[in-house]
Amino acid sequence: MSTTVPPAEPLSPLPPGGEQAWIEVIQKMDEVYNDLLQYEVALEEKNAALEASHQFIESVLASMSDILVVCNRHGVIEEVNPSLCHIAGKEAEQLAHTSLFDLFADDVERAKAREIFARFGQDGVHDCEFFLRTGDGATVPVSMNCTPRLSQTGKLMGMVVTGRPVGELRRAYSALRQAHDDLKRTQGQLLHAEKMVSLGRLVAGVAHELNNPISFVLGNVMSLQRYAGRLESYLGAIHATPAAEEPEVAAMRADLRIDRILADMPHLIDGMIEGAERTRDIVDALKRFSAVDKMTPERVNLNEVVERSVRWVVQSAGARFAVDLEIPPNLACLGSSGQLQQVVMNLIQNAADATAGLSKGQLVIRGGETDGTVWLRFTDNGPGIAQENLGRLFEPFFTTKPVGQGTGLGLSISYGIVDRHGGKLQAGNADGGGAEFLLSLPVESN
């Protein structure tokens, strides 16, 4: 069975000018579509920029340690940052649409805040301290600032309130003040150290200059001693002659006290020699202490170094400070006598300073030799060394003494001297109380 399809009817022809109209409509549609595409692209770009800006603002707010509250002109919270949430112990959603003044600790603080914000809100509030209520019910002091939010026409839209816990400010101020005090103390120590350096140069120069006159005096006294012996022999021979028995000679001999002079002269000369020799020893010690010697390794008698150092410090400290020596004889090592005396004097002087507040300060110095190493142990009866200071004792410029009484360089320099000698200098506290320093040196140099 077949089906016959009727032929299609022909399209009606367009009216005159209709084809051009359709072309114009299509063109307009294309232009509108292109504009819509451009607007969509621009909108997406603006949305991306807005999202990036929003993320940037959120990251800034999240990283702020200060609190931030944005509220409307009625004091209703619109936005907060994580720092405020942390202090208040609430989420941002819980704080939104609540009153700003509910954050304050009590009614007194709320009334104070309302009055200040109402009076100075248009001009802003700067560094006004309030107490806020924390999440655990405690209160925290906060230094707050308030800045008005204005519309383009100048109308008050709300406020931006920022604040910083005063505890952080106080800690920062305390740290700044501590740094300033440390700087002033270090500056004073540097000035004092410079004075000590100048004094050391002066002592070295004086010791060098004193050497010549002391040697001259000592040489002349030795000559005088020889001359006195000759004169005594000569006068003895004269007095043994018959002429010495004549009344005039005998009377002159008695008036001039010749016999007493002859008897006193040896003692006087011996005293002069002893004084000159002691002065020479002091000058020699000053030269060694001032590092005038060439620092060439030599055999150092530690007994003499310790005894000389003890004598110097005890004489200046007075009767309140005593030193007990428990050192075997002939304790010696190789090194520089002057430098080692500087170390020993510093340790003894530190013990004297540490026991200054006691009625009877005491230092015990023990010594010995073990396996090729000589050691000296200094133990005082002072208050000891604070645990937090044990690790810093040998740092340059570290001292617990007031400015002007210590440079903080003594133990540091001593540590360096001992290290150059191949030895060790250790610090600690004795079992019975008081500070204890252990100085160990090799018998033979490395």
Side-chain angles (χ1 to χ4, degrees):
M1 180 177 181
S2 61
T3 302
T4 304
V5 178
E9 295 182 359
L11 295 174
S12 300
L14 291 174
E19 183 178 353
Q20 183 63 32
W22 278 107
I23 293 174
E24 290 178 358
V25 169
I26 293 173
Q27 289 177 346
K28 289 294 183 182
M29 290 178 62
D30 288 340
E31 291 177 2
V32 171
Y33 182 72
N34 289 332
D35 290 341
L36 288 175
L37 287 178
Q38 292 178 3
Y39 291 151
E40 184 178 359
V41 171
L43 182 61
E44 289 179 355
E45 291 177 351
K46 290 181 179 180
N47 285 335
L50 182 61
E51 181 65 23
S53 177
H54 182 67
Q55 292 178 356
F56 174 76
I57 293 174
E58 285 187 345
S59 65
V60 171
L61 294 177
S63 64
M64 287 178 59
S65 59
D66 294 357
I67 66 173
L68 174 67
V69 183
V70 180
C71 57
N72 62 18
R73 58 192 180 91
H74 300 294
V76 177
I77 296 176
E78 296 179 349
E79 188 75 30
V80 296
N81 71 333
S83 293
L84 179 64
C85 296
H86 177 72
I87 292 178
K90 296 180 181 180
E91 298 294 332
E93 292 78 8
Q94 296 175 284
L95 295 173
H97 308 299
T98 62
S99 175
L100 167 70
F101 303 102
D102 292 341
L103 298 174
F104 293 90
D106 50 34
D107 293 338
V108 176
E109 289 294 310
R110 295 187 189 98
K112 174 183 173 183
R114 289 180 186 275
E115 179 185 357
I116 292 178
F117 287 171
R119 182 184 302 178
F120 304 104
Q122 289 282 359
D123 299 327
V125 178
H126 303 285
D127 294 330
C128 190
E129 185 172 328
F130 296 97
F131 283 89
L132 302 186
R133 179 71 62 183
T134 62
D136 56 2
T139 59
V140 57
V142 177
S143 176
M144 303 188 75
N145 298 278
C146 175
T147 304
R149 286 194 303 133
L150 303 177
S151 66
Q152 294 180 351
T153 60
K155 182 180 178 181
L156 179 64
M157 301 294 294
M159 296 177 292
V160 177
V161 180
T162 60
R164 173 173 295 181
V166 177
E168 296 183 7
L169 292 174
R170 289 172 179 166
R171 285 194 295 271
Y173 176 74
S174 177
L176 180 62
R177 183 175 60 185
Q178 182 65 36
H180 181 257
D181 292 342
D182 292 343
L183 181 61
K184 287 177 62 179
R185 183 168 58 253
T186 302
Q187 184 182 19
Q189 290 170 349
L190 287 171
L191 292 175
H192 189 65
E194 185 64 27
K195 293 179 182 178
M196 293 300 293
V197 171
S198 301
L199 180 60
R201 293 172 181 169
L202 177 62
V203 168
V206 170
H208 180 73
E209 292 299 326
L210 284 177
N211 249 349
N212 291 333
I214 290 173
S215 300
F216 176 76
V217 170
L218 187 58
N220 287 346
V221 172
M222 299 296 291
S223 299
L224 181 61
Q225 186 180 35
R226 294 194 301 270
Y227 296 160
R230 295 177 185 179
L231 288 174
E232 185 177 359
S233 299
Y234 176 73
L235 291 175
I238 293 296
H239 292 161
T241 61
E245 301 298 331
E246 295 181 3
E248 295 82 1
V249 177
M252 183 179 295
R253 178 179 177 180
D255 292 340
L256 298 177
R257 300 180 181 180
I258 298 300
D259 295 332
R260 184 175 180 180
I261 290 175
L262 292 176
D264 289 346
M265 188 173 293
H267 300 292
L268 295 174
I269 293 176
D270 290 341
M272 294 170 63
I273 292 175
E274 181 182 359
E277 288 179 344
R278 289 185 62 184
T279 305
R280 182 183 61 186
D281 292 340
I282 291 174
V283 170
D284 182 64
L286 284 174
K287 287 177 61 181
R288 292 177 178 272
F289 182 72
S290 302
V292 175
D293 52 356
K294 296 181 179 180
M295 305 305 175
T296 55
E298 59 183 356
R299 197 72 180 171
V300 179
N301 188 324
L302 291 178
N303 299 74
E304 295 180 358
V305 170
V306 172
E307 291 170 1
R308 183 165 53 242
S309 301
V310 168
R311 184 168 61 250
W312 281 24
V313 176
V314 169
Q315 286 177 353
S316 61
R320 65 161 187 82
F321 183 66
V323 180
D324 295 333
L325 297 179
E326 300 177 10
I327 303 177
N330 302 323
L331 197 64
C333 68
L334 277 182
S336 168
S337 176
Q339 291 186 355
L340 292 179
Q341 181 180 333
Q342 182 176 355
V343 174
V344 174
M345 278 195 64
N346 182 265
L347 296 177
I348 298 174
Q349 186 63 58
N350 283 347
D353 295 339
T355 58
L358 304 178
S359 58
K360 188 64 176 179
Q362 186 176 18
L363 172 66
V364 179
I365 304 178
R366 299 180 179 88
E369 180 178 344
T370 306
D371 298 331
T373 300
V374 294
W375 53 270
L376 295 171
R377 190 183 301 274
F378 302 77
T379 308
D380 62 48
N381 64 337
I385 306 170
Q387 192 67 31
E388 62 270 17
N389 294 335
L390 278 175
R392 303 186 59 194
L393 278 183
F394 301 112
E395 292 182 6
F397 302 113
F398 175 77
T399 179
T400 57
K401 301 176 183 177
V403 174
Q405 297 185 19
T407 63
L409 293 171
L411 285 176
S412 175
I413 293 175
S414 299
Y415 187 89
I417 291 174
V418 175
D419 183 68
R420 287 194 296 272
H421 279 73
K424 294 182 179 179
L425 181 61
Q426 299 168 296
N429 289 310
D431 294 336
E436 184 174 80
F437 288 86
L438 178 61
L439 168 62
S440 56
L441 296 163
V443 175
E444 303 293 338
S445 61
N446 295 329

